[in-house]
Amino acid sequence: MNTQETVYAIASGKGGVGKTTTTVNLGTALAGAGNRVVIVDVDLGMANLAGFVSLSPEDTTLHQVLAGEADVTEATYELADGIWAVPSGIGLDSYASVETENLREVVAELRDQFDYVLLDVGAGVSHETVLPLGLADAVLLVSTPEPASVQDAQKTCDLADRAGGTIAGVVLTRTHPSGDIDHEGIAEKLDLPLLVTIPEDPTVRESVYAGTPLVVHDPKSPASRAYRYLAARLVGEADPEDRPTFEGASESPARSESQPPQRDADGDDTEQGGASAASEDDVSAAISEIDADSETDGGQPRIDIPDAESDT
Ligand code: ADP
Ligand code: MG
């Protein structure tokens, strides 16, 4: 992996496959390793990144920036140590005045200010989806193993080509390690390297209800371990041979099976057994914990990848 790449577009053909989850957790893992990271919601029409990190942008969002009404610094919010977010507006009124082309300047400015810029791209084939693929140094193609998702991922490959973008590889999400699906085969079909598989993991949902990135909410969960591996791989500190496979790992901890979440992440009711949003301090503390856990090597922050077998 080329460590000179600092701007990544997290993209998919089909929606609902785990792009925002990947953006938030990869970003938090990179920040936990000592990088200054900004995550940007470029899903302009269907923004939802803010909800994943308990951010309620009061006024300025990427919509105002792209409408030429604000500077990107005014729409950049600190989430915790080392990580900032640029949320998109949820109102259709502000979306109407957006000039998508202005994203070029925004990405250029953020590239100068941060070690890593992660663009959470919308699904589909519109201009606002295609443009970021060309602005990024590399695209992380997110797909589930479902045939419809893989088929749509192929379209995103074609779009990235047309936009002059480069796809670094596939992030295969919601995998079932004990199933009989050939994950490598899916990546081969797309003619791309398989960067990581993110196992289906009930703690992902729990973390959304808690409004805290999974890698902070439950650092030992299998999906957290997978996201830390992805971060390590992007910064050039993990090898393809070390990719976790999660064979034999428990996919469904008993506590989650006995207390299934009652609603979808995008349902109306976000109250989950009185779960409340974590404060910024909680998140900062948890990130430093990850930081403290990681070994240091010649002053370089390292990303620790605990065993899948560790108790959760
Ligand atoms: P996208 O941004 O591509 O639309 P999201 O990141 O919002 O997708 O994820 C869609 C849904 O899938 C969410 O409800 C999320 O909690 C769930 N999800 C994502 N990844 C996983 C996973 N590894 N295990 C279980 N659920 C997941
Ligand atoms: Mg999303």
Side-chain angles (χ1 to χ4, degrees):
M1 195 67 46
N2 179 3
T3 53
Q4 299 303 104
E5 293 167 349
T6 64
V7 180
Y8 289 96
I10 290 88
S12 73
K14 197 172 180 299
V17 296
K19 289 182 301 295
T20 302
T21 304
T22 298
T23 305
V24 165
N25 286 291
L26 172 62
T28 307
L30 287 167
N35 298 289
R36 283 167 51 87
V37 180
V38 66
I39 57 180
V40 188
D41 197 348
V42 298
D43 193 347
L44 302 172
M46 290 288 170
N48 67 357
L49 187 141
F52 278 63
V53 290
S54 297
L55 181 66
S56 353
E58 269 143 40
D59 19 62
T60 314
T61 70
L62 187 59
H63 281 182
Q64 280 79 41
V65 178
L66 296 179
E69 294 163 9
D71 192 82
V72 68
T73 52
E74 297 168 63
T76 306
Y77 300 81
E78 186 170 10
L79 298 177
D81 278 352
I83 185 156
W84 285 259
V86 180
S88 224
I90 48 173
L92 285 176
D93 287 347
S94 58
Y95 176 56
S97 40
V98 155
E99 288 287 346
T100 309
E101 276 295 318
N102 288 339
L103 198 59
R104 287 181 194 282
E105 268 173 59
V106 169
V107 170
E109 197 172 334
L110 293 174
R111 181 194 285 280
D112 284 346
Q113 285 167 19
F114 293 91
D115 296 329
Y116 289 95
V117 180
L118 305 184
L119 308 173
D120 183 7
V121 183
V125 297
S126 65
H127 183 52
E128 65 184 60
T129 296
V130 180
L131 180 65
L133 305 179
L135 295 179
D137 299 326
V139 177
L140 306 180
L141 186 60
V142 180
S143 179
T144 70
E146 299 297 320
S149 172
V150 177
Q151 190 183 338
D152 290 355
Q154 182 63 63
K155 274 186 209 152
T156 305
C157 291
D158 298 346
L159 289 173
D161 268 353
R162 292 182 196 200
T166 311
I167 301 187
V170 182
V171 175
L172 203 60
T173 54
R174 311 196 70 164
T175 58
H176 292 271
S178 52
D180 55 2
I181 294 176
D182 175 13
H183 300 148
E184 293 277 2
I186 291 173
E188 273 165 32
K189 211 158 144 194
L190 293 166
D191 204 16
L192 290 167
L194 179 58
L195 294 175
V196 67
T197 57
I198 313 290
E200 175 73 21
D201 187 338
T203 61
V204 171
R205 255 180 163 216
E206 290 172 15
S207 75
V208 174
Y209 283 106
T212 312
L214 179 70
V215 293
V216 168
H217 179 79
D218 192 350
K220 290 183 174 173
S221 68
S224 283
R225 180 175 170 242
Y227 280 121
R228 277 198 305 280
Y229 166 80
L230 178 60
R233 186 149 169 192
L234 294 185
V235 303
E237 287 184 1
D239 294 327
E241 308 86 73
D242 299 331
R243 179 164 56 76
T245 59
F246 303 102
E247 268 156 29
S250 155
E251 296 171 23
S252 311
R255 69 188 151 108
S256 299
E257 255 171 13
S258 59
Q259 295 170 339
Q262 300 302 304
R263 293 183 196 249
D264 268 338
D266 26 21
D268 308 318
D269 189 357
T270 51
E271 290 292 326
Q272 182 68 10
S276 61
S279 71
E280 188 185 313
D281 284 353
D282 290 344
V283 178
S284 294
I287 289 184
S288 343
E289 225 168 81
I290 297 178
D291 220 2
D293 282 353
S294 23
E295 297 161 31
T296 47
D297 179 17
Q300 287 291 97
R302 288 182 58 91
I303 298 169
D304 189 31
I305 307 165
D307 291 343
E309 288 76 30
S310 0
D311 287 338
T312 51

